[in-house]
Each structure stands twice: as C-alpha cells, then as structure tokens.
Amino acid sequence: MRPRPYPCGQRARPPRRTWQHGGVTAATHPTAFPQVPESPDDVLTGLDPEQREVATALHGPVCVLAGAGTGKTRAITHRIAYGVRAGILQPTSVLAVTFTNRAAGEMRGRLRQLGATGVQARTFHSAALRQLQYFWPKAVGGELPRLVERKVQLVAEAAARCRIRLDRGELRDVTGEIEWSKVTQTVPADYLAAATKADRETPRNPAETAQIYAVYEQLKQDRSVIDFEDVLLLTVGILQDRYDIAEQVRSQYQHFVVDEYQDVSPLQQRLLELWLGDRDTICVVGDASQTIYSFTGATPDHLLDFRTRHPRATVVKLVRDYRSTPQVVHLANGLLAKASGRAADHRLELRSQREPGPEPTYAEYPDEPSEAEGTARRVRKLIDSGVPASEIAVLFRTNGQSELYEQALADAAVPYQLRGAERFFERTEVREAGAAIRSAARFGNNDALLDDAVDVPSQVRAVLSTKGWTDNPPAGSGAVRDRWESLAALVRLAEDFTRAQPAATLADLVTELDERAAAQHAPTVQGVTLASLHAAKGLEWDAVFLVGLTEGMLPITYAKTDAQIEEERRLLYVGVTRAREHLGLSWALARSPGGRASRRASRFLNGLRPGSAAAGTHSAGGTGGIERKPAAPRRHRGPVYCRVCGRTLTGAGEVKLMRCEDCPSDMDEGLYERLRDWRGIQAKSLGQPAYCVFTDKTLIAIAEAVPADVGELARIAGVGVRKVNRFGTDVLAICAGQELGDEGEQASVDD
C-alpha cells in the first residue's frame, strides 16, 4: 500500500532518481528541515513531469494553471531555486509576490531550505511599501506620511461629519466599499456609477457611501496619513510619473513570480505592469476556480487573459492532486461540473494521486446548536481515533457562526484555535520563550538547569519548563492550553531541527528561530482550527467539517447575480479541497431549537449528496444516505424573547443571556464573583480550562436569572442536563447565598 502524501512543507521519503521509476514525491514534504539539495539537478528531484516543466521554464512568460493540492507552491519555489542554483537567475533580481504574509513567509522558508537565499518573497503591499519608503524623499520630498493600519475609526469619523449614523455592521461594510473603490481605482465622484456597473450590493445609499468616502479621503489628507490601498496607489503614481525611478526599480528586479494570480485587483495588475515595463520575464500561477475575493476587487480575468497578452507564453497545467483522496476529489470535480461562467469554462479536472479513503459524509440536523454539538462529537471521535487536533478544521461561511462551535468544542473538552489570531512569533509566550532560549545559548554553561540536558531538545525542554511547558498538556482548551501549545510547538521544532542536523547546538537553533521569525515561518500549533471559508484559502487538514450549508448561507442571501452565485460555489469548492482524507458536510433545518424547519440544504449539493436530484453522479462504492440527527432535549421551544424589551432573540449570545446585548443587565455582581471563584476551583480540580465548566456568558446569565430550582437553572442556555447533574447542587446553593463546604467544592470526574 502506497504511503500517503505528507503535509505541505514536509519532506517525503528519499525518492528514486527518475519519475518513471517511482521517483516522484508528493506535492509536499515530511520533515521541517530537509537537507539543502547539493546541486541544481537535485533541486528537480522528486518533481512530477508537469512540475518539472514549470521548474525548468525559466525564459519568457510562463502561465501555470494549478488546481487545488497539485503542488503549485512546490513547483514555483523549485523553479526559482533551480534558476538561482543554476546561475540563470540572480537571487536579488527576483521578486516573488503573493497575497498574504503567511504565504510569503512559507515561500521564503521553502526557498531557504532549497538554498536560494537572497530572493525577495513579499506581498504586493509589502513590496510596494518598501519602494515607497525608499523613493518618497526623492519623488515627493520629506517623510512618508504615517500608515494607518485600521481605517475603521477614520471611516466612522467621516460618517459622523456627514451626519450619517452607521451601526457596527454598516461601518464594516462601508469600509469595505471604500477599499473596493480604491483597488478598482474609483474616485468618490465615480463611486455611484462604478457600483451600479459592478452590481455591488451597497450597504447604504450609494450617494451616502460616496459622501463618506470623500470626507474620509479629506480627513487623511488633513492629518497626513495614508492607508494600505494608498501604498499601492502612491507607488503606481510615482512609477508612472517618474521614468527614472521606474527604471531604477526595473534594473533591480528583472524576473517576477506571482502566486494566486486569480486574485489580483486592477490596481495590483497596474503595479505589476509598471514593474515589468516592456519585458515579459514573468511567471504567474493560479486557478480561476479558486477566485473567491471578487468583493475586494479581485478578478480572474488577468489570469484568463494572460495568453492573449502573451501569445508565446509557456502554459503548464497541474492537475495531479497529491492532497486529497479520490473520494474528496470526486466531490470537488462534481461541484465544478455544474458551474457556469468564464471561470467554469477554464476549470481543471483534478486527478487524485492518493489511495482511496472514506466517502464524504452528509448530516442533516434539526437546528444549529444540534449541528454544532454533533460536529463537536465527530471531532472528538476523530481525535480519539488518533487524528491530531491540529489536523482538523471546522469551516463556516461567516465569522458570526463561530460562537456556537467554540461553545460546543469547549463543552466536549476539545482544544481549538481561531484562524486570524496573532502571528505565532508575536505571541507573548513565544517571545518570552525565545528570549529564554537565547539566554541559555549564551550563558548555558553556568546554568544548573541544563546540567542534565544531553542534547538540544532536552535543553529546550529544560528551559521551557520554567515558562509553563510540561510533558503532559493541560486538559481542554483556553489560554493555559494555548500557551502550552505554543511552547510545545517550539519543543517539536527543536526535535525536528536536531534530527535534521545532529551536530547542531542551541546557538544554531536560536539562529533558526530568528530566521523563521523574520520569515513568519511558524511551526504547527495543536488545536482544532475554526475558520471562515475565506480564511481557509491556502490551508489544508486531514479532516474538514463544512458546516451551515443551507440556502441563504451558502450561497449567502445577498448573492443575487449569476456571477455572485458562482463565486459562492467556488467558495464551497475551496472548502472541499482543503480536506485530505475526512470530509463532513452538514446543515440545519432551523436556526433555534424548536424553530420552524424551513431551511433546506444548499443547492450546490444537489446531485452530489445521496438522495438529491441526479444523485447517480456520486462515486460508486459509498454507503450512501444522509445521516439525519435527532434534536437533543432543549430548554427552549419556539421563539426566544428578550426579557427586557420583548424583541425576538436570534444570536446565540443573546439567547444565552435571554436579553438583547444592548439591553441593560440586572446582574447580581456579588453573585457573579462568587460563581467565578467557584468555577476556578472546579476548573483546577478537574484539570480543565474555566470555560469548560461554564463560559463567562453563561455565568452572567445565571447571575442575572438567579435560578431557585433545577428547572430554572436548566432553562438557561449553556447549562444543559449534563451540567445540571454535575454542578447544579453547587450553583443553586451559591445562588441561594449558602456557603459551600469542602464536599461541595469539586465535582466528580466520573459524573
């Protein structure tokens, strides 16, 4: 049986020398520290024929059409490395651009491992900002205006000056409209016409948005500040107006590589054209079927028109999928087979290179809380079967869906991490750990802590034991577990590093950590990932759960036009192709327990899920059928109303509090503090994070309701029968003002 491909960034088993004799390796690699190839030809070892064609196409324009999981990053990094190692490309003359700091950091890390140091791998914004900072004094004079990282506050002030009141959602959406306008090079006066032409679903009256946009620009000018979009606009302006500066940039960078080319905006494309000048030394890579950011101004047209602009371009298609099993790939292909539009006309038919795996599962639930709890049970089962938590993801359409899954995973004692949290090397515990390791490397000979440490990993374990690392992780999740996971990731990094370089010292590890921090090349942190489908782009896991797949959520309600509907389909395609082996798809018939079952599964699943129209297209050999989950016993039946103002409650947090978030609280502060103290004792005795006992919001709800009996306590969302049985006696006693004795200060682990 063929070993399964390894996660991205890890090295496969030593390959044979030729592809025809089994020498091809998976698109991705098993150790974090592969040996640097000894020669240029060694850089090509293990590439499949199409990847090899990409890597050796070093002259003229090149267009790589790369499907999900086909090793596109591997192909283009090996292409750069081969060109540099063969002396065809000068490393300092190469600029590789992509769209996220994570992707740029991964690219820098891979290039370093391939021996291609000195190559610039940056985001569009990062590359433009460096040029803007360097050339601003010469082109404009003085210092570059300060960069505003978050424009929301300025947009809010602009709206206030226009006497326009925006709620939080409208403020976010108007800010997005301003960003879209700028990347499509639309000035305030032209916003109305441009939004109408683009079928924009505007959050406010377009005239009001245009007014806010104009005042926002004036505020920036008055305060001598710029935003991220200005970085691109100003760089484009300087390169257009100053031929001498443009030529200086072109003399520096003579070869360009653009990753995720389907996501470029008109403004980014214009900047790229100015960097290139009249040359065609460019390689682009992308997949029109993964265009999911058109709301930000991204368009696949530049990718699809590449051969029109460059008739002599070398075009290579990557369709060998090394990531996903045939079952997952079959579903992905089936999803795109029903697509329409220009991107669909250029879709790639993926071919799995892996051994068969389990069929995707489909589950229908009566309501959203049941769906979240059912998903948490499935996650728990996978972890118990040996799937690492870090190799599992729960993906949803909007960030607002995360709260239910956070609660459900916490109740199941499953550690999780929210995608979009601060960068690994910027975490407080990681910075502290790095400083401690650096100190040990410098003064370790005088540190008794290291007397019994025989190698680098044991030295790191000894040092980090003073920062909270232990052999066994704390139970559950939360801040304590998050800190431990960060430190454990550093321990694993030290172990991988030493296996790759047995003679390495602690000082060598410090150098490696510094280089990784500079490249934002973070090690893996344990914990189930919760993320939106947009945030999951470019990532992959062994197991993926796609949740909330109902009409109105996917496609989202405001997707009206054919083009918008097709982008929603592509978003689901991106979610499906994140899974290597296990894939679960689910939906709920109602939002709240006891609500009317008026929802239906997403139209995108028609003909794919068993029992739906044209279900015969599903792959043979599966067991078929949809697993329909019965509702768990619930406290609330029918609509839930705010106990203060009477409004119908919809959000999970509001339902838990039994009031609107904005309505005044009548919480007993003293009771809340007593409950918090009791919860801390419980959590410590059980070895779990505090929120696995009760979340803060549930404690607030208890302190507001002050239940007098089991029935009243059970009716509070977030309590449930299990927790009533486990903690009810103590909670009711505290609410009654009673003092707990020693026998009431901990719950049985066996409850």
Side-chain angles (χ1 to χ4, degrees):
M1 183 174 177
R2 186 173 60 189
R4 75 174 182 85
Y6 295 91
C8 209
Q10 298 184 353
R11 191 173 64 133
R13 291 185 173 90
R16 298 177 186 174
R17 299 301 290 180
T18 64
W19 178 78
Q20 292 86 346
H21 292 91
V24 65
T25 61
T28 57
H29 277 272
T31 53
F33 300 94
Q35 297 297 319
V36 174
E38 295 181 1
S39 69
D41 286 342
D42 288 338
V43 173
L44 303 177
T45 300
L47 300 181
D48 69 29
E50 294 80 22
Q51 293 170 346
R52 193 182 187 95
E53 185 177 355
V54 173
T56 54
L58 295 170
H59 302 284
V62 178
C63 179
V64 183
L65 302 176
T70 58
K72 67 176 181 65
T73 305
R74 176 183 175 89
I76 59 175
T77 51
H78 281 68
R79 178 182 187 272
I80 295 171
Y82 177 70
V84 169
R85 297 289 299 275
I88 299 171
L89 303 177
Q90 293 300 313
T92 56
S93 72
V94 179
L95 177 60
V97 288
T98 188
F99 287 83
T100 66
N101 288 315
R102 183 200 61 79
E106 181 184 355
M107 193 177 293
R108 288 192 293 269
R110 291 199 188 194
L111 289 170
R112 184 164 58 89
Q113 291 169 355
L114 292 169
T117 57
V119 174
Q120 292 292 310
R122 297 184 172 275
T123 64
F124 271 99
H125 281 88
S126 174
L129 182 58
R130 287 194 70 182
Q131 293 175 22
L132 193 61
Q133 290 170 331
Y134 183 81
F135 290 112
W136 184 268
K138 179 179 180 180
V140 181
E143 292 186 0
L144 180 69
R146 181 174 60 87
L147 179 64
V148 176
E149 294 192 5
R150 295 184 71 253
K151 59 175 68 69
V152 171
Q153 187 172 351
L154 265 180
V155 175
E157 186 174 343
R161 292 199 177 191
C162 296
R163 299 182 183 277
I164 298 173
R165 183 176 180 181
L166 302 176
D167 62 28
R168 184 182 303 175
E170 289 175 323
L171 178 59
R172 181 192 64 241
D173 292 342
V174 169
T175 300
E177 287 301 292
I178 292 175
E179 292 172 347
W180 172 83
S181 299
K182 299 184 77 166
V183 300
T184 56
Q185 303 175 77
T186 302
V187 298
D190 297 336
Y191 170 77
L192 177 57
T196 302
K197 182 179 179 181
D199 290 319
R200 299 288 290 181
E201 192 75 27
T202 56
R204 298 282 300 202
N205 182 300
E208 290 182 334
T209 301
Q211 185 183 4
I212 296 171
Y213 179 15
V215 174
Y216 167 77
E217 290 297 311
Q218 186 61 51
L219 281 173
K220 288 198 291 103
Q221 183 176 335
D222 293 344
R223 297 175 185 181
S224 297
V225 297
I226 59 175
D227 60 27
F228 273 106
E229 289 71 41
D230 291 329
V231 170
L232 300 182
L233 284 164
L234 292 170
T235 305
V236 165
I238 288 175
L239 296 179
Q240 284 180 159
D241 296 342
R242 292 290 298 268
Y243 181 79
D244 57 327
I245 292 177
E247 283 301 295
Q248 190 172 343
V249 171
R250 291 166 192 158
S251 67
Q252 169 68 51
Y253 296 118
Q254 298 169 19
H255 194 97
F256 298 86
V257 177
V258 186
D259 193 13
E260 305 287 3
Y261 193 53
Q262 77 278 351
D263 288 331
V264 296
S265 68
L267 181 56
Q268 290 165 333
Q269 176 64 22
R270 180 59 185 142
L271 178 59
L272 184 61
E273 290 168 353
L274 289 166
W275 283 340
L276 270 171
D278 58 1
R279 301 166 297 177
D280 61 2
T281 50
I282 181 172
C283 172
V284 301
V285 57
D287 178 9
S289 296
Q290 296 188 66
T291 305
I292 58 174
Y293 296 108
S294 66
F295 62 91
T296 67
T299 170
D301 289 345
H302 305 299
L303 174 66
L304 299 178
D305 293 338
F306 189 82
R307 282 168 288 184
T308 302
R309 297 194 309 274
H310 303 281
R312 296 185 299 127
T314 298
V315 178
V316 184
K317 293 183 179 181
L318 303 183
V319 295
R320 301 174 195 266
D321 189 327
Y322 296 95
R323 175 188 299 161
S324 305
T325 62
Q327 286 75 13
V328 173
V329 168
H330 181 86
L331 177 56
N333 286 336
L335 190 59
L336 284 190
K338 299 176 179 296
S340 60
R342 193 178 182 209
D345 292 340
H346 294 80
R347 63 180 175 267
L348 300 168
E349 186 83 9
L350 299 178
R351 300 200 299 269
S352 175
Q353 305 298 296
R354 292 194 52 180
E355 294 291 336
E359 288 284 336
T361 62
Y362 301 83
E364 182 180 277
Y365 294 88
D367 52 65
E368 289 183 358
S370 295
E371 184 180 9
E373 291 169 8
T375 302
R377 287 193 296 271
R378 287 171 176 248
V379 168
R380 179 79 265 171
K381 186 176 180 180
L382 279 177
I383 292 174
D384 292 343
S385 72
V387 179
S390 61
E391 289 296 346
I392 303 174
V394 178
L395 308 181
F396 30 75
R397 176 62 178 84
T398 68
N399 288 318
Q401 296 169 268
S402 72
E403 184 178 2
L404 279 173
Y405 292 89
E406 293 176 55
Q407 179 68 56
L409 290 173
D411 287 345
V414 172
Y416 65 84
Q417 55 180 334
L418 286 170
R419 184 73 191 162
E422 62 184 329
R423 295 178 183 175
F424 180 83
F425 288 103
E426 294 174 0
R427 297 176 187 174
T428 300
E429 64 269 21
V430 174
R431 292 200 303 268
E432 292 175 351
I437 294 172
R438 183 173 288 102
S439 176
R442 294 179 61 188
F443 308 112
N445 292 337
N446 299 319
D447 192 342
L449 185 68
L450 303 182
D451 286 351
D452 296 326
V454 297
D455 56 17
V456 170
S458 59
Q459 290 174 323
V460 171
R461 285 191 287 267
V463 171
L464 297 189
S465 66
T466 67
K467 300 297 179 182
W469 180 83
T470 57
D471 287 331
N472 298 312
S477 54
V480 174
R481 179 63 183 249
D482 288 346
R483 180 181 179 87
W484 184 90
E485 291 291 358
S486 296
L487 300 178
L490 291 174
V491 171
R492 290 192 297 272
L493 188 68
E495 293 168 348
D496 288 343
F497 184 67
T498 302
R499 277 194 292 270
Q501 301 184 33
T505 65
L506 197 59
D508 295 327
L509 177 63
V510 169
T511 300
E512 175 66 24
L513 289 174
D514 289 342
E515 291 178 348
R516 280 177 166 253
Q520 285 301 325
H521 184 193
T524 301
V525 177
Q526 297 297 317
V528 172
T529 298
L530 290 175
S532 71
L533 287 165
H534 283 101
K537 178 73 169 64
L539 304 175
E540 59 185 85
W541 296 270
D542 281 347
V544 170
F545 292 90
L546 303 176
V547 299
L549 303 182
T550 62
E551 286 291 302
M553 187 57 74
L554 197 73
I556 199 78
T557 304
Y558 52 76
K560 304 292 187 184
T561 67
D562 290 344
Q564 291 168 341
I565 295 293
E566 286 306 312
E567 178 146 338
E568 294 289 299
R569 184 192 302 275
R570 294 194 296 270
L571 191 56
L572 179 56
Y573 173 79
V574 166
V576 167
T577 55
R578 300 309 94 194
R580 298 193 191 103
E581 184 171 0
H582 303 278
L583 177 62
L585 304 95
S586 63
W587 59 93
L589 299 178
R591 178 166 188 171
S592 303
R596 187 165 62 93
S598 58
R599 294 180 174 180
R600 57 191 176 92
S602 170
R603 71 188 74 172
F604 300 143
L605 301 182
N606 290 344
L608 299 175
R609 62 183 175 91
S612 63
T617 59
H618 194 66
S619 59
T623 56
I626 299 173
E627 185 176 353
R628 289 182 167 83
K629 298 294 185 178
R634 295 287 175 178
R635 277 78 62 192
H636 301 295
R637 297 297 176 192
V640 181
Y641 301 102
C642 174
R643 55 189 169 79
V644 179
C645 71
R647 183 179 69 85
T648 301
L649 302 177
T650 55
E654 291 182 335
V655 170
K656 182 169 289 187
L657 293 175
M658 295 295 289
R659 63 173 172 81
C660 303
E661 293 277 6
D662 297 334
C663 283
S665 169
D666 54 357
M667 181 179 70
D668 183 329
E669 296 284 353
L671 174 57
Y672 176 70
E673 291 302 322
R674 292 194 298 275
L675 287 168
R676 278 178 57 88
D677 292 343
W678 165 84
R679 183 182 66 173
I681 295 172
Q682 292 292 325
K684 183 176 181 180
S685 67
L686 295 173
Q688 295 180 346
Y691 66 77
C692 284
V693 180
F694 287 119
T695 64
D696 286 346
K697 194 156 285 186
T698 300
L699 289 189
I700 292 172
I702 294 172
E704 289 183 346
V706 194
D709 55 42
V710 170
E712 292 181 4
L713 178 61
R715 282 194 291 272
I716 297 174
V719 178
V721 175
R722 182 175 64 86
K723 290 191 177 182
V724 166
N725 293 335
R726 195 174 199 181
F727 305 121
T729 301
D730 283 5
V731 171
L732 291 172
I734 295 170
C735 289
Q738 300 173 12
E739 293 292 331
L740 296 181
D742 291 342
E743 69 280 359
E745 291 186 349
Q746 71 175 24
S748 170
V749 177
D750 298 326
D751 283 350

